[in-house]
Amino acid sequence: AQPLYTYLDGPKRLIVPLPLLDIDGEIDVLREKFADAERVFRLQARPATPSSLTSLLTLGCTMLHYSGHGADDLLCLEKPGATGEPHFLTSASLAAYFGGAAGVSRPKLVFVSACSSESAGRAFVDAGIAHVVAVQQGDRLSDEDARLFAGEFYLSLLTGHTVRQAFDAGRACVDISRTSANPSGAGRAGGAPGEPERFLLLGPPGADHGEVIFPLGALRVGPYADETPPAPLNLCDRGPSKLIGRRWELHRLLEKLRSSACCIVEGKKGQGKTALAICAADYAARRQAFREIHFFSLRQARRTSGFGLGLGSGGLGLGSGGGG
């Protein structure tokens, strides 16, 4: 999930932009590890909205991996509509849904790859999930640590190791990386001496996590099947991997695109109008908001000082003016 902002309730609601996470980088690393494992299974990667989560659980899955923002007692999903609006899922809601909804197929393992996800992880355990990986309450999870740990963890699981062995392999991978960068060992996955664990393996009381989710021979040798819906045609240049600031403006632009036939981003030269519009197109494409996205350069029109976005029949057109 990659919502663009959150808010703090009070006498006056305060909008707080959320940092953009490198979720694509995490998914790319997982796909590489899945290919290395050479096991036949099915994978789907989707934006985490309430409807995508419930559909996935109704259809059934063996493992559920959430990557996104977390706080002390909630996960931050996206609301439908591809505008970056947040949907807050509390730990109590998680436990109630997983524990009591009829027709729900509970996964054997849940990985909550988010900062301070311990509370959400324990809610999954309360709902009957046997193995849950989460992050220590109050601890922040870097993109690099998330990639390193998850990649080694899933590679170990898919090649016949127990959940505990896979968890230890993931921690060791992060520890080795951190130790080489920081000889003192501070900030390691397992915690420096006297510090709490960063990654947690949670389960019911007395759980030893000795289960082998994929025993040798249970999965055929061969390539995995990536059933992620293909992204629509997007002829825009690749946007910046991380847009510095502008998350609220990005949300407002996406919101306008859902309701208007034409939007114009105005501003002085060099303020990032083109980058903002391309990021909006990329965000919308990843969420299947349009069937096609086209880019037209109008730099010859030197008097133009804006960036226009036109919405057609299921398509999005972007025009870059001479104003930059």
Side-chain angles (χ1 to χ4, degrees):
Q2 188 79 280
L4 298 173
Y5 69 94
T6 184
Y7 50 80
L8 302 176
D9 284 324
K12 198 170 184 180
R13 177 172 286 187
L14 178 64
I15 299 297
V16 180
L18 287 171
L20 293 179
L21 303 172
D22 188 17
I23 294 177
D24 289 338
E26 184 175 347
I27 293 174
D28 288 344
V29 168
L30 294 183
R31 285 184 168 125
E32 290 176 7
K33 294 293 185 178
F34 295 159
D36 291 344
E38 296 186 323
R39 296 295 188 273
V40 178
F41 64 95
R42 294 182 297 140
L43 166 73
Q44 279 197 21
R46 294 174 177 268
T49 65
S51 58
S52 67
L53 179 62
T54 54
S55 296
L56 181 64
L57 295 172
T58 300
L59 294 171
C61 65
T62 303
M63 298 187 298
L64 173 64
H65 183 99
Y66 168 85
S67 184
H69 290 286
D72 286 346
D73 194 45
L74 55 83
L75 297 179
C76 198
L77 309 186
E78 299 175 20
K79 283 190 176 180
T83 65
E85 186 175 359
H87 176 92
F88 302 115
L89 189 61
T90 65
S91 297
S93 299
L94 272 175
Y97 180 75
F98 277 80
V104 169
S105 176
R106 296 185 186 89
K108 291 184 177 182
L109 181 143
V110 172
F111 192 136
V112 193
S113 181
C115 300
S116 297
S117 58
E118 180 181 354
S119 179
R122 295 195 183 280
F124 279 112
V125 172
D126 292 341
I129 306 301
H131 313 288
V132 179
V133 178
V135 175
Q136 171 78 27
Q137 206 73 6
D139 207 344
R140 298 186 63 82
L141 179 63
S142 70
D143 289 336
E144 182 183 2
D145 284 355
R147 291 192 297 267
L148 289 170
F149 184 96
E152 202 63 32
F153 175 77
Y154 285 118
L155 178 62
S156 184
L157 274 184
L158 288 166
T159 50
H161 294 87
T162 68
V163 175
R164 168 60 67 183
Q165 289 170 334
F167 180 80
D168 290 342
R171 285 201 313 172
C173 183
V174 177
D175 284 347
I176 291 171
S177 173
R178 286 286 163 260
T179 301
S180 64
N182 179 11
S184 69
R188 294 181 299 163
E195 292 184 354
E197 301 280 350
R198 169 170 293 175
F199 289 98
L200 302 173
L201 181 55
L202 309 174
D208 65 359
H209 304 291
E211 180 180 3
V212 178
I213 294 180
F214 301 107
L216 291 176
L219 298 178
R220 290 183 290 113
V221 175
Y224 74 96
D226 192 341
E227 297 181 354
T228 302
L233 175 69
N234 183 0
L235 299 182
C236 289
D237 294 331
R238 180 74 175 178
S241 59
K242 286 196 175 184
L243 186 67
I244 306 301
R246 304 293 181 89
R247 264 91 71 190
W248 178 248
E249 289 85 352
L250 180 56
H251 159 69
R252 293 290 294 156
L253 178 56
L254 290 162
E255 195 174 47
K256 291 294 184 183
L257 283 172
R258 298 297 290 177
S259 59
S260 304
C262 182
C263 300
I264 297 177
V265 182
E266 294 184 308
K268 294 181 180 179
K269 184 175 181 178
Q271 287 188 329
K273 301 182 298 295
T274 302
L276 180 66
I278 289 176
C279 281
D282 184 67
Y283 191 94
R286 294 175 187 277
R287 287 149 183 83
Q288 312 288 321
F290 302 100
R291 290 196 300 270
E292 295 181 357
I293 298 176
H294 297 268
F295 181 89
F296 306 95
S297 177
L298 306 176
R299 294 193 179 279
Q300 291 79 7
R302 295 297 181 185
R303 295 180 182 179
T304 303
S305 60
F307 193 103
L309 296 94
L311 178 61
S313 176
L316 178 65
L318 291 81
S320 173

